[in-house]
């Protein structure tokens, strides 16, 4: 059985599947045949080699084209603040909670078109505030994000 499972794991690697598929295979085999527990060490070793050789991705980011489609839809529907927040979060590499907890008083917008074109957002309650700096900031230099944020946020009061 070990040889069959290892051969199937190798076929999965060759097919370009992720290690989670191999984990499902081995866990399923052990679930269907509990008497095999302790006898599949070679298969588990092969799986662990595959898992360690595969780079791990925590999150899959969205494509920039998809982002612009979401922002365009939000803008057309009149949700300018949402569209600007999506751009700010994407180009600032921010967590969703950091964007949603931000207030207008935390955001520095360029005052005139001649001013340096950048946004600075102070992240007051960053997830890593107990590990890194307590007060963190993000700088965004993307012209589209800057224009959208100016249009959506320039009239807001500091507490909004």
């Amino acid at each position: 059985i070990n040889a069959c499972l290892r051969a199937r794991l190798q076929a999965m690697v060759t097919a370009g599947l992720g290690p989670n598929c191999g984990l499902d295979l081995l866990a399923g085999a052990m679930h269907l045949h509990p008497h095999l527990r302790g006898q599949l060490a070679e298969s588990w070793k092969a799986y662990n080699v595959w898992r360690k050789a595969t780079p791990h991705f925590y999150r899959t980011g969205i494509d920039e084209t998809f982002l612009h489609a979401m922002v365009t839809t939000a803008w057309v529907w009149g949700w300018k603040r949402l569209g600007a927040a999506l751009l700010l979060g994407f180009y600032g590499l921010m967590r969703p909670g950091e964007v949603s907890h931000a207030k207008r008083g935390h955001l520095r917008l360029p005052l005139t078109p001649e001013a340096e074109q950048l946004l600075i957002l102070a992240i007051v309650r960053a997830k890593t505030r107990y590990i890194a700096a307590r007060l963190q900031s993000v700088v965004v230099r993307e012209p589209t994000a800057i224009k959208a944020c100016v249009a959506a946020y320039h009239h807001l009061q500091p507490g909004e």
Side-chain angles (χ1 to χ4, degrees):
I1 292 201
N2 262 321
C4 291
L5 287 173
R6 284 196 333 261
R8 180 63 185 137
L9 286 171
Q10 185 59 45
M12 292 169 115
V13 170
T14 305
L17 298 174
N20 58 324
C21 296
L23 178 63
D24 291 342
L25 172 72
L26 293 175
M30 298 198 50
H31 178 72
L32 290 174
H33 304 286
H35 63 278
L36 292 177
R37 187 172 301 275
Q39 298 177 20
L40 300 178
E42 293 176 26
S43 298
W44 282 104
K45 284 181 186 175
Y47 163 74
N48 283 325
V49 167
W50 178 19
R51 184 181 52 84
K52 289 177 182 175
T54 305
H56 182 74
F57 298 99
Y58 291 100
R59 294 185 195 145
T60 303
I62 64 170
D63 183 57
E64 195 169 6
T65 305
F66 183 68
L67 167 78
H68 287 290
M70 290 191 315
V71 169
T72 302
T73 303
W75 214 263
V76 168
W77 287 355
W79 302 345
K80 293 182 179 183
R81 289 165 69 175
L82 175 64
L86 289 169
L87 288 169
L88 185 62
F90 182 83
Y91 290 113
L93 299 174
M94 298 170 65
R95 295 179 175 90
E98 294 169 345
V99 176
S100 64
H101 287 96
K103 303 283 186 204
R104 173 59 179 94
H106 303 148
L107 181 65
R108 181 191 164 273
L109 297 170
L111 298 176
T112 64
E114 297 81 29
E116 185 177 5
Q117 294 299 301
L118 60 86
L119 294 175
I120 301 174
L121 178 70
I123 305 172
V124 179
R125 295 184 53 216
K127 184 177 178 181
T128 57
R129 66 184 176 270
Y130 298 116
I131 299 168
R134 298 237 187 265
L135 183 63
Q136 300 175 20
S137 61
V138 171
V139 176
V140 176
R141 297 180 189 274
E142 174 62 35
T144 306
I146 294 170
K147 289 176 186 173
C149 288
V150 168
Y153 301 137
H154 76 281
H155 64 281
L156 296 178
Q157 297 300 315
E160 293 185 80

